[in-house]
Amino acid sequence: MAVFGSRVSALEKRIYRDSRLAGTAFTVLCVGSAGGLGLLADRLTRSHPLARTAVTAAATWAVLGGTTLAAEGAHMAGSLESGDLRAARERLPHLCGRDPAGLDAEELARATVESIAENTSDAVVAPLVWGAVAGVPGLVAYRAINTLDAMVGHRSPRYNRFGWASARLDDVANFVPARLTGLLTTALAPVVGGSPRRALAVLRRDGHRHPSPNAGRCEAAFAGALGVRLGGANNYGGRVEHRPELGDGPRPAVADVRRSVRLARAVSLSAVALAVGARLLCRTRRRA
């Protein structure tokens, strides 16, 4: 995806205009190209099972970010547990875009837990869902959508209009995966000593309060499962956003970072099992 990102940056420089129309054309070109390549690979390997399996495996490996997410969470946990706030602040940009300068251990822990919750859906569950629905084309098209959202979908003077289409398309693509992530998280709450009933109650009560139509479902479910309270003021390089509180417990402590990583891994494994099962079921029905 690094190659895709560099090509996207080059295309943006050529066609950028401060308008929604230009941004929509940019989004269609990028996602259409990625999806088209995935469709071509799918068709070329349709009658070659081994090649098809290899292409699917390669595409899945390329788009899934679950291993990286868990590793980053573990690194943050290690830095916070050793009291090395400098290392933790340097590591935070690997997880989210908040300004880490001045954040204490509690705020670093909160930022990490919230990022792990949201990215469990974006980096793992969502690509698996689209892979189960549409195979390789679904995998690569979703990753293109998510990459565009990260690059141009955020609110800023430059991208407020140009990135509008990319941000909205990402919202649509993540609508079902985010809610599936929330449900899996509530079901797996016992993995971290939580209560599924409590997690579901927090998800239903607070999931819609987040400004994102999708991230709130994941963060609320994690808050309920972990028994913590998420939300608050987030500083993005001088732009402060005040997020509503999600959950009823105390603010995340350093120990909650590893718990969130454990929960994310459990959700990811469950999503893999569901995706594989769904794909096998579809193939069985086609042959019947």
Side-chain angles (χ1 to χ4, degrees):
M1 297 311 293
V3 174
F4 176 77
S6 64
R7 298 293 175 84
V8 166
S9 296
L11 179 62
E12 180 198 339
K13 292 177 182 178
R14 293 175 63 88
I15 71 172
Y16 175 83
R17 300 290 186 279
D18 187 19
S19 74
R20 287 187 176 183
L21 182 61
T24 300
F26 171 76
T27 302
V28 171
L29 280 172
C30 293
V31 177
S33 298
L37 287 174
L39 185 60
L40 178 62
D42 185 70
R43 289 188 174 180
L44 288 175
T45 59
R46 184 164 294 175
S47 58
H48 304 282
L50 289 178
R52 189 181 185 87
T53 299
V55 168
T56 302
T60 303
W61 177 85
V63 304
L64 286 183
T67 302
T68 301
L69 176 64
E72 289 297 337
H75 279 301
M76 282 294 293
S79 297
L80 291 172
E81 288 164 356
S82 65
D84 192 347
L85 294 185
R86 179 179 178 181
R89 288 169 184 151
E90 291 176 351
R91 201 84 198 182
L92 187 63
H94 291 259
L95 284 166
C96 64
R98 298 179 204 179
D99 184 357
L103 294 184
D104 59 16
E106 183 180 90
E107 281 299 298
L108 287 166
R110 177 174 73 86
T112 302
V113 171
E114 290 174 354
S115 297
I116 288 174
E118 180 179 358
N119 285 302
T120 297
S121 176
D122 289 355
V124 184
V125 178
L128 287 170
V129 167
W130 285 106
V133 170
V136 171
L139 281 168
V140 296
Y142 171 77
R143 181 49 65 198
I145 292 168
N146 194 241
T147 301
L148 287 180
D149 181 60
M151 295 178 69
V152 305
H154 48 86
R155 293 182 180 179
S156 68
R158 178 177 176 83
Y159 295 125
N160 191 44
R161 283 186 283 270
F162 184 79
W164 175 84
S166 293
R168 298 291 78 75
L169 184 58
D170 185 75
D171 287 342
V172 172
N174 281 291
F175 186 87
V176 171
R179 284 147 184 81
L180 176 59
T181 301
L183 292 175
L184 287 174
T185 301
T186 61
L188 293 166
V191 170
V192 290
S195 163
R197 180 177 295 180
R198 178 180 179 181
L200 182 60
V202 173
L203 171 61
R204 295 179 63 182
R205 187 194 68 195
D206 297 340
H208 67 283
R209 300 178 63 203
H210 196 282
S212 165
N214 299 318
R217 268 66 183 186
C218 308
E219 292 183 21
F222 265 69
L226 295 169
V228 299
R229 179 165 42 94
L230 302 177
N234 298 338
N235 186 346
Y236 297 94
R239 177 173 55 88
V240 179
E241 294 185 5
H242 295 275
R243 302 286 175 83
E245 293 185 343
L246 310 175
D248 301 310
R251 288 295 188 183
V254 172
D256 293 315
V257 175
R258 287 202 188 275
R259 295 176 67 222
S260 69
V261 171
R262 189 159 67 250
L263 181 58
R265 283 174 171 157
V267 171
S268 299
L269 289 173
S270 297
V272 169
L274 288 176
V276 171
R279 199 66 183 161
L280 290 175
L281 181 61
C282 289
R283 289 184 180 180
T284 300
R285 288 183 174 180
R286 287 175 185 172
R287 293 171 182 172

